[in-house]
Amino acid sequence: MQVWRGKEQNASTRYDRVDDHITTYQKTGVANKLFLGAPINNNASVDLHKLFSPPSLISVRPRRFKNLQVQAAGSTYGNYFRVATFGESHGGGVGCIIDGCPPRMPLSESDLQFDLDRRRPGQSRITTPRKETDTCKILSGVAEGLTTGTPIHVFVPNTDQRGKDYTEMSVAYRPSHADATYDMKYGVRSVQGGGRSSARETIGRVAAGGVAKKILKKFAGTEILAYVSQVHKIVLSEGVVDHNSLTLDQIESNIVRCPDPKYAEEMIAAIDAVRVQGDSVGGVITCIVRNVPRGLGSPVFDKLEAELAKAVISLPATKGFEFGSGFAGTFMTGSEHNDEFYTDEQGRIRTRTNRSGGIQGGISNGEIINMRVGFKPTSTITKRQNTVTRDKIETELIARGRHDPCVVPRAVPMVEAMVALVLVDQLMAQYAQCHLFPVNQDLQEPLLPNFVSDNVPV
């Protein structure tokens, strides 16, 4: 139906329009149907002219959507345990807001600082030489050492910015970097340090991941361990690392974070070789999760492995994700790939092999979750490269600044953090949906904390 805003439309013009509508209604059969509230008369015909009020009585105002909301794009993750990161590489600082953390859990800056130190720049010769302590400060959500259940604000200041290093890059785009696509999307960008596309954004993720790790460890004894399994062409052979006995000390025993000393030396040498040439290499991080509660994840769109893939692939420089047997499973037959079930000494259903990677049908089965994440070589290198300027002029660029020759050693705690954020969110979802009423003890295991604290009220 067409509506006029003023009185200038005369009646004849208006009813010509109405006649057009009558013709349309008659063709579709609407004219012969009763309208809501009309008297029941099978022989009656509907006069549509009477349905329209005079044009002088019509008053139209712009519709105002009082409840219209625009969700901020791309900086928030989670449904129950929600994390929003903020800040830029050369701004005043970076950090996160954590919403949905359970109350009455002991928490301090030291719980977060350990992983932030593993992530920070300048920690060895194979990482960026930028010097930042990345000392975090909890500004809200914790009182007298306990979480209050309200949003937790974590802030880390930037102290070693060098904006002048980005003079050339403010004009010319770095090949394979987000410089160009940020301009294409927003029409403006923060040039110094790469803004939000900088890996410095991951400080907020790692800080939030520290909280998530503590919840998972305290509630279910869940352990999340990641390590470097490939640097360039140096690939850790399958079976060298025992995922049942792997420890954090083994991973942290060298600067590349590979638990095998022999392979670690080769990986470090590979990074050193490209570093002195002003080039970079990529690699692969393997992540395992032990003591995962059963039942995490949902069928169809919210499968656990799908959530994990989205989370880790959102990290900077990621280019690939494998879960369980991954692409190698495509070379097997069903009889070779299937994980056969058995009952262990405690009467629990287990699998003899773990090609499923601890998840079947999108739901955790209690076995070790394992995945692999591929990272590309760092985009910003000091070798001369062909590119274009923001004015679309072809040119050459030799990038300056302080950048990692290989990102994977510092990305290990980033992967762990994203996996932790997924699992704690899924744990809360499982508890909320499937454990409000008594569980089916023949098929389910209750979600109960494995600890009791004497000094924390429950």
Side-chain angles (χ1 to χ4, degrees):
M1 183 185 298
Q2 297 193 26
V3 181
W4 289 266
R5 294 179 183 270
K7 300 180 180 180
E8 64 274 12
Q9 296 285 344
N10 59 48
S12 62
T13 302
R14 180 181 158 284
Y15 280 109
D16 286 342
R17 292 288 186 184
V18 173
D19 289 335
D20 292 340
H21 284 289
I22 292 174
T23 303
T24 302
Y25 292 152
Q26 287 174 338
K27 288 180 180 178
T28 58
V30 175
N32 295 324
K33 296 180 181 180
L34 292 174
F35 287 84
L36 183 63
I40 300 176
N41 185 345
N42 294 331
N43 297 321
S45 60
V46 179
D47 185 357
L48 290 181
H49 291 86
K50 296 180 180 179
L51 297 178
F52 294 87
S53 58
S56 59
L57 299 179
I58 296 178
S59 176
V60 178
R61 296 179 180 177
R63 176 180 268 181
R64 297 174 183 264
F65 296 93
K66 295 182 179 179
N67 297 323
L68 181 64
Q69 296 182 352
V70 178
Q71 184 174 357
S75 293
T76 302
Y77 179 80
N79 296 307
Y80 300 86
F81 189 88
R82 294 181 61 82
V83 176
T85 68
F86 63 84
E88 298 175 344
S89 176
H90 280 50
V94 292
C96 65
I97 304 292
I98 306 166
D99 197 8
C101 180
R104 304 186 307 281
M105 183 182 76
L107 186 69
S108 66
E109 282 94 350
S110 61
D111 293 318
L112 316 182
Q113 196 61 53
F114 176 75
D115 280 340
L116 289 174
D117 289 343
R118 298 169 71 207
R119 194 223 70 93
R120 70 175 177 84
Q123 58 185 271
S124 74
R125 70 176 189 270
I126 61 172
T127 65
T128 170
R130 179 172 174 171
K131 297 297 182 182
E132 296 276 1
T133 62
D134 287 352
T135 303
C136 71
K137 184 70 176 176
I138 297 177
L139 301 180
S140 68
V142 177
E144 298 181 353
L146 298 178
T147 57
T148 62
T150 57
I152 299 172
H153 179 187
V154 183
F155 180 74
V156 173
N158 294 325
T159 60
D160 189 24
Q161 306 97 314
R162 292 185 187 175
K164 64 181 184 299
D165 288 345
Y166 291 83
T167 302
E168 294 88 352
M169 290 176 278
S170 66
V171 178
Y173 293 127
R174 287 171 282 181
S176 288
H177 199 276
D179 295 341
T181 50
Y182 268 54
D183 270 354
M184 293 173 187
K185 180 176 180 64
Y186 300 108
V188 65
R189 64 186 169 94
S190 176
V191 174
Q192 285 76 22
R196 288 288 283 172
S197 67
S198 168
R200 194 147 182 80
E201 174 272 333
T202 62
I203 284 177
R205 306 183 193 218
V206 173
V211 180
K213 278 184 177 182
K214 186 161 188 177
I215 296 171
L216 292 166
K217 182 70 174 178
K218 279 188 164 293
F219 188 90
T222 302
E223 295 179 285
I224 303 172
L225 294 171
Y227 62 90
V228 175
S229 55
Q230 179 181 338
V231 168
H232 200 209
K233 298 179 181 179
I234 310 300
V235 183
L236 191 63
S237 298
E238 187 175 353
V240 171
V241 178
D242 183 358
H243 288 171
N244 290 294
S245 61
L246 177 66
T247 65
L248 180 62
D249 288 340
Q250 289 176 302
I251 296 170
E252 294 296 314
S253 64
N254 54 75
I255 59 177
V256 78
R257 295 196 167 91
C258 173
D260 184 85
K262 176 180 176 295
Y263 280 94
E265 290 181 6
E266 297 180 22
M267 291 176 180
I268 294 170
I271 297 174
D272 278 334
V274 297
R275 176 177 60 86
V276 297
Q277 298 171 6
D279 214 336
S280 63
V281 290
V284 174
I285 290 176
T286 297
C287 184
I288 66 165
V289 190
R290 297 191 294 237
N291 300 324
V292 184
R294 297 179 174 188
L296 304 191
S298 300
V300 193
F301 299 113
D302 296 330
K303 291 181 178 179
L304 184 55
E305 64 266 46
E307 292 295 313
L308 289 168
K310 175 185 177 180
V312 297
I313 289 294
S314 73
L315 288 168
T318 50
K319 285 298 179 184
F321 178 85
E322 276 193 327
F323 182 83
S325 62
F327 288 101
T330 63
F331 296 100
M332 297 179 174
T333 62
S335 58
E336 293 171 330
H337 190 273
N338 288 344
D339 297 317
E340 295 183 347
F341 291 109
Y342 74 100
T343 304
D344 68 10
E345 296 176 353
Q346 287 74 40
R348 301 178 77 230
I349 296 176
R350 302 286 304 280
T351 61
R352 298 190 184 278
T353 54
N354 192 23
R355 299 183 187 93
S356 299
I359 301 175
Q360 294 170 329
I363 301 170
S364 61
N365 62 8
E367 302 295 335
I368 294 176
I369 291 178
N370 66 80
M371 68 202 82
R372 291 165 298 284
V373 189
F375 289 79
K376 69 180 179 70
T378 314
S379 299
T380 309
I381 57 177
T382 56
K383 280 198 166 185
R384 188 183 303 273
Q385 297 181 93
N386 295 320
T387 185
V388 297
T389 67
R390 299 179 88 177
D391 297 328
K392 304 178 183 179
I393 306 299
E394 293 185 3
T395 186
E396 291 183 336
L397 173 67
I398 299 178
R400 293 192 293 164
R402 300 157 294 172
H403 307 280
D404 293 89
C406 181
V407 300
V408 290
R410 291 178 57 216
V412 165
M414 303 178 197
V415 171
E416 292 176 355
M418 294 311 299
V419 171
L421 293 180
V422 171
L423 293 180
V424 77
D425 197 49
Q426 293 296 321
L427 176 64
M428 291 181 178
Q430 172 69 2
Y431 198 92
Q433 181 187 14
C434 298
H435 290 262
L436 288 179
F437 298 101
V439 299
N440 183 341
Q441 295 185 0
D442 293 331
L443 301 175
Q444 295 175 287
E445 295 180 353
L447 276 179
L448 297 175
N450 66 356
F451 75 100
V452 176
S453 176
D454 294 333
N455 54 7
V456 178
V458 179

